[in-house]
Amino acid sequence: MPDWRTLHLDDRIFSEPTADGHSLALWFPGKRDEAFQHWERVSTVPHTEFTVEPGITAVAAASVQAKQPIRGFFGKFLQRFQKPTEGRAWLLPTGDTAEQCGERRSDLILLWVEDKPKQLDEPWIKARWPECERSQKIGENLYLVFGIVPPTVSSTLEQAQASPRQTAERLLADARATGDRRREVSALTDLGITYLHEGSAQLALRSLDEALRNIRLLDERSEEGEIMGNLGLAVLRTGQPKPAMALLEQALTHARAANDQFAMKVSLERLGFAYAILRNPSRSLASFEEALSLARALADIRHEAELLWYLAIQHAEIGRREQAIASAQAAVEVMEKARNPQAAWYAQHLRRFRAGDSGIGLSTNEEAGPDSSPIAFLTSSLTASLWATPPAGMQGPAPPAGPGLLRMAVSAAKSMAKFLGSGLKTVPAATLQRRLRTCAACHHHTGLRCRLCGCFTNAKARIAHEQCPIAKWPE
Ligand code: SF4
């Protein structure tokens, strides 16, 4: 939070002194009639900051209306002997008192710029919050926006306690109860993805198919490509490669048409995975390579490391041992640079691969059983979780040696979560709240998942080394 004591406010606005300088209360003079001077008091709500986008921050605010009786000299003198008013009395910055009138409203946010080159103006605010009632400039790059419900801490923290599937089911029930078709499509997609993570391909298929049919009834269909990509994975899981590849290709076409680099990267990764399990390593390598270039261009180091590892698996599959080792080593180095504790897990598998060892003695998901805990979802991306068991009828389980050893590293989510144990450094509560609140206010957030990185934000936000793919989280 900036220090409000040093802010340059509009001359007509009075600020109320606060003890710590980290909260703000402002008085706005309103209309004046024969009997009263009207005022509006706006105060920030402590610990509710969130990032709207990199460099632009907001905090929840509340306002009350008050009226100050207009009195002459004798009126002011006699005021001392009058009975106190029934409403709450406020002390104005002028030293006079005013009586609260009307209800408190809490649908305001205060918005400011942290990075100087950025500028705020009313058209930008209106484009960002088309539903807002109005906005008011109150200082240099400082605006009050009325009619916005700020992201709430309680709901985001409640969500953080629940499993991803519980949250997806709740979001779906809420959307159906309110008849909101767009939110219903989003929740069906989330639910399908959680089923995919859990290995329930038929249930995933049902949810994602319903999401696809429903979105085609809406005017705005920007999420159609995303649904097709996930449906492609579900179809692939059920052992139908041809319709699966058609869906994955269509998802990529959608992403390219929208020039959405995040979606292109994800589609290419999935195609790479599909070609890999269909035993087409050259096309798999080409897809992973293109996805890797996009991950680097977007500075998405988490995905960069994953893609380098997938390239290593593919090189190993076709006997290019040296390239496999180089790629896997690069993946470990990227993880180490990002202070990702998973680096140790991958390094352990790479060591055994280099030594020509077998994977005997390393634990796998098959031994550990399915895991739907948030940490397992975090330590294993959707594609990673699919490496564990190849789709029905396509190929046998990977041997626990050679390329199989590299596959095991990505597929054993539960074992990895156990292996990492307390090695996953978590963030302090205040940082977690700000991250969750920032996600809750972000238009890339589905209510459960970040559409850009695909992560379940309730798990990801807790982990210190994790980052927002577009740098909205505070450092
Ligand atoms: S992690 Fe995703 S949902 Fe959260 S703020 Fe960043 S872009 Fe938005």
Side-chain angles (χ1 to χ4, degrees), residues 51-52 262 435-446 449-455 457 460 467-473:
T51 308
V52 179
F262 282 98
R435 283 181 172 189
L436 290 174
R437 215 178 278 113
T438 297
C439 288
C442 176
H443 65 277
H444 297 300
H445 198 242
T446 65
R449 191 173 51 85
C450 169
R451 278 203 188 89
L452 296 186
C453 62
C455 292
T457 46
K460 177 172 169 165
Q467 293 174 350
C468 161
I470 49 173
K472 284 174 85 170
W473 286 353

Side-chain angles (χ1 to χ4, degrees), residues 77-124:
F77 177 73
L78 290 172
Q79 184 191 357
R80 297 180 192 178
F81 306 104
Q82 285 174 351
K83 278 200 308 188
T85 53
E86 285 182 1
R88 179 174 176 182
W90 289 96
L91 182 63
L92 296 165
T94 56
D96 295 312
T97 54
E99 181 189 346
Q100 183 171 330
C101 52
E103 292 299 311
R104 179 180 187 267
R105 65 182 286 187
S106 52
D107 58 345
L108 281 73
I109 58 169
L110 186 69
L111 195 62
W112 69 94
V113 163
E114 278 178 331
D115 292 345
K116 275 278 182 273
K118 295 229 173 200
Q119 289 292 321
L120 280 177
D121 56 29
E122 292 197 9
W124 185 89

Side-chain angles (χ1 to χ4, degrees), residues 350-363:
L350 174 58
R351 262 195 309 278
R352 296 185 75 157
F353 177 74
R354 271 188 211 270
D357 234 351
S358 82
I360 294 165
L362 290 173
S363 49

